Amino acid sequence: MKRVKIILAAGARPNFMKIAPLFRELKKYKGRFFPIIVHTGQHYDHGMSGVFFNDLDMQKPHYYLGVGSGSHAHQTAEAMKKFEKVCVKEKPRLIIVVGDVNSTLACSITAKKLHIRVAHVEAGLRSRDMSMPEEMNRIVTDNVSDFLFVTEKKGVENLIKEGRNKNDIFLVGNTMIDSLKFSLNRLRESDIGKFQTSLLAEELKNYGVVTLHRPSNVDNKSNLLKLVRILNKISGKAPLFFPIHPRTEKNIKRFKIILSKNIHVIKPLGYLEFLFLCKGAKFILTDSGGIQEEASFLNIPCFTLRKNTERPVTIESGTNILVGERINRLPSLVDKSLDKSSAKRRTIPLWDGKAAVRIIKILNKVL
Ligand code: UD1
């Protein structure tokens, strides 16, 4: 029997942990599915991309498209042109796209125009903020997708409100949490000791972690300066480790912004290193989407440096606090959380490490 070809498309850092469990699960259906990994190359530095394949125990991509950086239109168009060639050659039965980056948008539209069915993993999330490029990517990707795999109940509600047929919507949990659970076990056996000793040991007792990369926070000088001043203040109470995104690093240099010596700026980390750092943190300050989810799962207070979140379950049941307009109050909010013994978290339904198992079981039925 001919195996069903399925392309897993990924392009940027937060995509890799979402496809890894799907690839592993597809491989279990040996005689049935033939998974192909396509990496568009939206992220290309080793620290933003290659290291994740090792850390997630995932084989190298079958195709690397080398799309690289550029304007949104350029990046999306390049990914579409190159991905189309792969689709024409491989003739897959299905494309799986994940998350909300430009590569997600590019690959879903390209496949759909070739009449290939599309599954979107992490469908239905909405920030209702159209100034975020990701929001447009989410809406368009969901619109062209045949199978909508959703991480939280609100996502199902959003899709129904937008008129989607409920037969296309599957609440399955979160493949990012699948990777997190898988990697917590691997962390014990890993080489993380070396990384640990590269950090300042005395600082590893009572610290926070910062990540920043949203254009709205880091591309504008006065916004970035305001944020850094607040971070400098917080770092007087607890040292901060700041694995820095290339976009943020460039802008801090360009705007000549000075960080306090209590903020330890480090290179972008691999998945296991980052997990190690977060697991031991007292709090996390971030503008990322996925980290809000990871922090909730790890039960670590997370202050999201944004005005909105497309992941409301992390606020309702997790440890996430949206700072947005209250940014000036951030130091006192962090203080309060340091005083508390632990954050309160309820278990988030279906975030149990088995989302990929559910997704592939469904695909096995419907394809
Ligand atoms: C992208 C995603 C965002 C995701 C983030 C995770 C979109 C619209 N944005 O944002 O949703 O949260 O990835 O990091 O798809 N760069 C490098 N090396 C790299 C990659 C990027 O130096 O390996 C630099 C380049 O100067 C590039 C800039 O970072 O122009 C931004 O990269 P890009 O992929 O355009 O957007 P991100 O900000 O990373």
Side-chain angles (χ1 to χ4, degrees), residues 14 42-45 69 75 101-102 134 213 245-247 250:
Q42 176 175 344
H43 284 174
Y44 43 87
D45 287 354
S69 299
Q75 202 170 50
V101 303
N102 287 343
E134 292 81 2
H213 74 282
H245 186 284
R247 176 196 282 280
K250 274 178 210 160

Side-chain angles (χ1 to χ4, degrees), residues 37-279:
I37 301 175
V38 176
H39 180 347
T40 64
Q42 176 175 344
H43 284 174
Y44 43 87
D45 287 354
H46 178 71
M48 298 288 287
S49 156
V51 64
F52 289 85
F53 284 81
N54 298 336
D55 280 0
L56 293 160
D57 198 22
M58 189 166 46
Q59 74 161 70
K60 297 254 162 342
H62 298 83
Y63 291 90
Y64 181 78
L65 307 183
V67 164
S69 299
S71 70
H72 286 262
H74 173 88
Q75 202 170 50
T76 309
E78 280 302 298
M80 288 181 75
K81 273 156 59 185
K82 293 180 171 170
F83 188 63
E84 183 178 50
K85 291 199 178 111
V86 179
C87 290
V88 168
K89 180 169 167 226
E90 294 290 351
K91 299 187 179 47
R93 180 91 67 85
L94 179 81
I95 308 284
I96 302 182
V97 293
V98 295
D100 55 17
V101 303
N102 287 343
S103 300
T104 313
L105 170 76
C107 295
S108 59
I109 304 177
T110 305
K112 203 59 199 168
K113 281 183 180 269
L114 291 169
H115 307 292
I116 300 165
R117 292 208 273 180
V118 178
H120 184 205
V121 171
E122 206 184 89
L125 299 185
R126 299 287 181 268
S127 66
R128 306 287 172 214
D129 175 359
M130 284 303 269
S131 69
M132 277 179 91
E134 292 81 2
E135 183 69 355
M136 216 181 303
N137 295 344
R138 290 179 198 120
I139 292 171
V140 178
T141 302
D142 283 345
N143 257 284
V144 301
S145 293
D146 301 271
F147 306 106
L148 300 158
F149 293 111
V150 184
T151 52
E152 59 173 280
K153 219 173 99 221
K154 185 75 186 169
V156 175
E157 291 168 21
N158 291 335
L159 290 165
I160 300 270
K161 260 194 217 146
E162 289 171 21
R164 291 305 303 252
N165 187 327
K166 68 176 183 336
N167 296 330
D168 301 337
I169 306 171
F170 306 90
L171 183 61
V172 287
N174 194 331
T175 60
M176 192 149 193
I177 302 299
D178 293 5
S179 274
L180 183 53
K181 282 194 86 171
F182 173 79
S183 303
L184 282 174
N185 295 329
R186 280 166 51 80
L187 202 55
R188 282 180 217 114
E189 301 142 25
S190 77
D191 202 8
I192 211 76
K194 253 194 259 158
F195 167 64
Q196 191 176 351
T197 46
S198 75
L199 302 170
L200 300 167
E202 73 275 18
E203 305 277 48
L204 271 178
K205 284 173 204 140
N206 197 26
Y207 65 93
V209 174
V210 188
T211 82
L212 277 181
H213 74 282
R214 293 267 159 228
S216 56
N217 279 334
V218 305
D219 284 359
N220 170 291
K221 184 176 177 182
S222 76
N223 290 355
L224 185 57
L225 189 60
K226 186 170 178 190
L227 269 174
V228 168
R229 281 194 183 130
I230 290 169
L231 296 179
N232 283 347
K233 190 163 175 196
I234 295 170
S235 74
K237 286 268 171 80
L240 299 176
F241 285 99
F242 188 5
I244 200 157
H245 186 284
R247 176 196 282 280
T248 313
E249 186 177 30
K250 274 178 210 160
N251 288 339
I252 284 184
K253 278 192 194 137
R254 185 157 65 101
F255 302 144
K256 300 191 173 57
I257 293 176
I258 311 285
L259 285 95
S260 140
K261 64 175 182 3
N262 294 330
I263 300 182
H264 304 291
V265 175
I266 48 184
K267 63 177 181 22
L269 298 177
Y271 186 61
L272 292 176
E273 289 174 343
F274 187 66
L275 193 53
F276 168 81
L277 197 61
C278 286
K279 222 171 122 279

